């Protein structure tokens, strides 16, 4: 991975998206000395089949689970934006909140989800598409231009992101070897107890998927992304 990256921000919709899509990459970036910050747009308060669960209780559980998973991977900061799960919209408020976090933590690299609808309905959940589209709009032009969101100034000065990785499984630009950190990714995923009831089944699926992604490059396990380099 590229040497000029010092700070990384992972912008996702739900607590657990980072670990599923990029947990190994995050673990590697941390081991290589990068500071990683998570920004999670929703509170994940709909993701339960338990009829006795309430949205308030679930939101609190999922924040704890996310903080624990972040700790396992060595993530430095976790920011929750608190929007309701399943209802994320591309609003001025969301764009301002994401812009503020980019300006606060000043990442060189932003990792986010995939803005496109695909036939993989889990991967292209509406909140995932929305958060990814908003993240790209905030990288350019909103975080960069001082006259966007004037209310953020002077506390949050403009910032230029250098690169973006988008979680991508079909013909990705970039395949990252996560073999050495696969155990950490799985350990972080176990923190999401409210989401991964049958962890053995989840582990099998994750191992199969990450092995499949790595196969062409000869990696035992890998994660994959499209990469956008911002012109200087
Ligand atoms: Zn999600």
């Amino acid at each position: 991975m590229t040497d000029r990256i010092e700070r990384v921000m992972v912008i996702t919709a739900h607590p657990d998206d980072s670990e599923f899509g990029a947990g190994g990459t995050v673990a590697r970036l941390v081991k290589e000395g990068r500071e990683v910050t998570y920004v999670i747009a929703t509170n994940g308060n709909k993701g339960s089949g338990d009829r006795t669960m309430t949205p308030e209780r679930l939101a609190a559980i999922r924040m704890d689970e996310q903080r624990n998973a972040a700790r396992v991977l060595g993530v430095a900061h976790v920011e929750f934006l608190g929007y309701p799960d399943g209802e994320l919209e591309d609003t001025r408020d969301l764009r301002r909140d994401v812009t503020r976090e980019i300006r606060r933590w000043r990442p060189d690299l932003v990792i986010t989800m995939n803005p496109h609808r695909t036939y993989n309905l889990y991967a292209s959940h509406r909140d995932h598409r929305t958060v990814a589209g908003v993240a790209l709009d905030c990288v350019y032009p909103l975080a960069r231009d001082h006259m966007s969101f004037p209310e953020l100034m002077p506390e949050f000065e403009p910032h230029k992101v250098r690169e973006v990785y988008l979680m991508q499984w079909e013909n990705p630009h970039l395949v990252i070897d996560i073999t050495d950190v696969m155990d950490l990714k799985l350990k972080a995923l176990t923190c999401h107890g409210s989401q991964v009831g049958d962890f053995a089944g989840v582990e099998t699926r994750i191992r199969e998927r990450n092995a499949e992604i790595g196969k062409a490059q000869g990696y035992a396990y890998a994660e994959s992304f499209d990469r956008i380099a911002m012109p200087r």
Side-chain angles (χ1 to χ4, degrees), residues 90 95 99 102 131-144:
D90 183 347
R95 295 192 298 273
T99 296
I102 291 174
V131 81
V134 164
L136 290 173
D137 287 332
C138 295
V139 165
Y140 173 84
L142 301 173
R144 193 198 71 171

Side-chain angles (χ1 to χ4, degrees), residues 12-18 20 42 62 85 113 122-123 125 127-128:
T12 57
H14 309 114
D16 77 5
D17 289 336
S18 293
F20 275 110
T42 81
R62 296 201 66 187
D85 190 353
M113 308 191 78
Y122 293 107
H125 184 296
D127 291 345
H128 297 178

Side-chain angles (χ1 to χ4, degrees), residues 156-230:
F156 301 102
E157 284 280 336
H159 175 70
K160 286 185 190 169
V161 173
R162 293 164 178 253
E163 280 182 57
V164 181
Y165 294 174
L166 302 169
M167 296 177 191
Q168 169 68 279
W169 294 273
E170 290 155 28
N171 306 311
H173 298 165
L174 195 62
V175 175
I176 294 179
D177 184 0
I178 62 162
T179 307
D180 292 348
V181 288
M182 188 61 179
D183 289 348
L184 269 179
K185 170 174 171 142
L186 290 166
K187 190 173 170 206
L189 279 165
T190 62
C191 296
H192 296 287
S194 72
Q195 306 302 301
V196 293
D198 163 29
F199 190 71
V202 172
E203 175 172 351
T204 303
R205 271 208 325 278
I206 296 286
R207 283 191 187 277
E208 282 170 3
R209 187 203 297 164
N210 290 139
E212 181 66 31
I213 294 170
K215 205 159 69 181
Q217 313 280 339
Y219 304 145
Y221 298 109
E223 289 168 346
S224 54
F225 304 89
D226 274 351
R227 174 175 179 269
I228 304 169
M230 299 300 291

Side-chain angles (χ1 to χ4, degrees), residues 11-13 38-43 63 78-84 88 93-102 104 131 134:
I11 304 173
T12 57
Y38 277 2
V39 174
I40 297 137
T42 81
N43 56 17
M63 279 168 68
V78 184
E79 303 280 2
F80 296 98
L81 302 182
Y83 288 81
L88 204 61
D93 279 354
L94 179 60
R95 295 192 298 273
R96 182 205 53 227
D97 288 352
V98 173
T99 296
R100 186 191 60 233
E101 297 311 319
I102 291 174
R104 186 199 308 274
V131 81
V134 164

